[in-house]
Amino acid sequence: MSGRPDPARATSADVARLAGVSRATVSFVLNDTEPGRVSDATRARVRAAAEQLGYVSNAAARALRAGRSNLVLMPATQAAIGRLVSDWLDDLQQALHEYGYTLVLHGGRGAGPVEVARAWAEMRPAAVLAPVPGLTPAAVELLHTAGVRAVIATGGEPVPGAHTLIFRQEELGRLAAAHLIERGRRRLAVLMPGERGLDAFAAERLAGVRLAAEGQGVEVTPVPLRYDWDDALALARSWPGFDGVFGYNDDYALLLVRALQEVGLEVPGAVAVAGADDLLPGRIARPALTSVRIDLSGAGELAALVHRLIEEPAEAGVVDTVRMQLIVRDST
Amino acid sequence: MSGRPDPARATSADVARLAGVSRATVSFVLNDTEPGRVSDATRARVRAAAEQLGYVSNAAARALRAGRSNLVLMPATQAAIGRLVSDWLDDLQQALHEYGYTLVLHGGRGAGPVEVARAWAEMRPAAVLAPVPGLTPAAVELLHTAGVRAVIATGGEPVPGAHTLIFRQEELGRLAAAHLIERGRRRLAVLMPGERGLDAFAAERLAGVRLAAEGQGVEVTPVPLRYDWDDALALARSWPGFDGVFGYNDDYALLLVRALQEVGLEVPGAVAVAGADDLLPGRIARPALTSVRIDLSGAGELAALVHRLIEEPAEAGVVDTVRMQLIVRDST
């Protein structure tokens, strides 16, 4: 480091000497392994000594020795970060912390799934949780080869080599569309967000709408929409007579509802609109928005699963299915 | 690993042999160093060989050799993740990627700033970007001692030892409150979110409101509100006659507007309400929400700064001030 002197680095032996304990005890305390084994008083003494000496154990060296770190890695998908997911991530961080793991959201980018998985693998995480579009079988294989013990995929179909948490994006579209059709709607629009990272999810939700429409004499049209007022207004002004809309999620659905109201198209009279995610803004909108609720409540269970798979890696298996539920309100 | 055979790990020498290049070239290509130095064709050959052999270079070993990784670490603060910030994070990831860095959002928790900084330091990041409440001088010192080259703080006041990106939370409250007072409001409520992780920001925004109210004969009252419809409705039903509200941000402001409308209190007639962040839902609400815009546009500039500080660590200095601007609409 230029600009400031490089201070001498304290070793764990120095910490042990100052605290009057063994190096093993220093390691137990600072690495948070074997929590029950060291008294609170000793723990405090070791921490104070480490602090006084400016000692930081080296995760790189530790990961190298152990072949893995205590990291649980998730890709930091821009698309996946919303209020629903960020509250859930907060719960998950806390739950993983209680098992001694640290959740890391990794912003690596690459040409394809294998490139990206390579960047993940370089951190030698103990576990990787990722949505299926990024977890091809080749990517899973690479992670296992690099020593990642638990690979957990979230997606519609089981991924070979990974535990899969079944989350059917299609189901969101299917539930909303079946309801719109039941309400007598025959010309359905499906909003396709123009924002980065959402296209894979949007395509799956559209497939769900088509599934519900099959054999029902219902027309399904994907309609691109950016999350932008001018875009929504332009769409509403040239409205092609759709009588039902699945809005991708509540945000896009609410944007369109507002634009339809602006041009005098009544919701749900002229156009019935349903969203997904069941967020508060939809619940309190006028008309209140019909939506599909996604049950992400099991952060504690997921942390327990991650821990179990790290301790005892097993062959791939379907883990659990995320539950979804239609919530009918005034917009349909 | 139990349950599956541990495959033999390929070395970079194996990759070099298969691709017909030197080990240095393998390192250049797979570590993305010296991008101009290797032709695209050679690059592709090395990548194909690495893929075929399941070779993953070890970031732990590399970080140990280099004393640092290519990681730029930010704490994954639940509070900070919203639409505004997640779009910006996406831009920042991309901009850092172009300099060869990987952004990692770290979910570590600890008893205090020094504990948390220790967990960050263990990853040997090249740079740490964090808000001031987590970056005490002791935490900054620990990071530097551990070899972190660039420590960038965001907050209202310069942090000793770190570069500081000045972001005055107070300014949000001050701008909104000055406007409410100019509109003749004399009994101001400041919404204080009950959600995790928002209290430090809320306290600073409240301080800004008090600053604007000083000597103006204006009463300022902090009012707790969870992001919850029942909570908002209860508050509106027992409304203590405030004639102006600073809503912490647009989300809380919109929630309160809707609850006030529900109990027949007209906005802005009876109560003027201003938010912050200037997000789309506020722009399209009825009445459209007065807000304060935060200019987070400089992801490219921030990435350039991070790179510059990593390459040439310098003494602490104020870097830049995030600009904010009042946007007056119909709710005030």
Side-chain angles (χ1 to χ4, degrees), chain B residues 53-298:
Chain B
L53 295 170
Y55 172 73
V56 174
S57 76
N58 192 327
R62 192 142 45 84
L64 210 59
R65 276 197 309 275
R68 63 179 166 106
S69 64
N70 73 333
L71 300 179
V72 173
L73 187 146
M74 288 179 77
T77 319
Q78 183 266 342
I81 297 178
R83 183 180 293 276
L84 183 72
V85 173
S86 70
D87 282 355
W88 178 79
L89 277 178
D90 198 49
D91 291 341
L92 183 60
Q93 276 174 29
Q94 185 58 42
L96 287 171
H97 178 70
E98 284 160 17
Y99 284 100
Y101 301 111
T102 297
L103 183 67
V104 161
L105 303 179
H106 191 276
R109 293 170 181 235
V114 169
E115 292 281 296
V116 171
R118 193 187 310 283
W120 297 345
E122 285 200 345
M123 302 192 73
R124 295 283 184 263
V128 167
L129 276 88
V132 166
L135 273 188
T136 59
V140 172
E141 192 50 44
L142 183 145
L143 292 171
H144 280 309
T145 304
V148 176
R149 292 172 72 85
V151 179
I152 301 179
T154 54
E157 299 300 329
V159 176
H163 268 253
T164 311
L165 186 62
I166 297 292
F167 184 120
R168 294 196 203 281
Q169 295 282 339
E170 295 97 331
E171 193 64 3
L172 294 168
R174 198 191 61 77
L175 285 169
H179 166 71
L180 290 165
I181 294 166
E182 194 194 278
R183 288 283 203 253
R185 308 301 162 137
R186 291 295 172 266
R187 297 192 60 201
L188 302 187
V190 178
L191 301 185
M192 306 296 283
E195 272 64 32
R196 300 170 284 204
L198 299 179
D199 40 343
F201 299 135
E204 293 177 33
R205 294 180 189 193
L206 172 63
V209 172
R210 290 199 197 281
L211 206 64
E214 229 171 61
Q216 305 280 317
V218 170
E219 185 186 300
V220 174
T221 310
V223 176
L225 178 68
R226 284 186 308 125
Y227 191 71
D228 176 280
W229 178 237
D230 291 334
D231 234 43
L233 209 53
L235 173 60
R237 284 202 173 115
S238 60
W239 194 245
F242 304 116
D243 56 10
V245 175
F246 172 60
Y248 176 72
N249 71 10
D250 288 358
D251 288 333
Y252 290 85
L254 286 172
L255 174 62
L256 180 70
V257 166
R258 190 62 196 82
L260 292 172
Q261 290 173 330
E262 189 77 7
V263 303
L265 281 165
E266 204 204 327
V267 175
V271 189
V273 180
D277 290 358
D278 188 32
L279 300 182
L280 183 51
R283 295 205 287 278
I284 67 178
R286 286 186 287 191
L289 191 69
T290 291
S291 191
V292 183
R293 182 178 297 161
I294 303 167
D295 177 14
L296 288 181
S297 60

Side-chain angles (χ1 to χ4, degrees), chain A residues 68-73 101 124-128 147-151 310:
Chain A
R68 65 178 165 104
S69 64
N70 75 333
L71 300 179
V72 174
L73 186 147
Y101 301 111
R124 296 284 183 262
V128 166
V148 176
R149 290 171 74 85
V151 179
I310 288 172

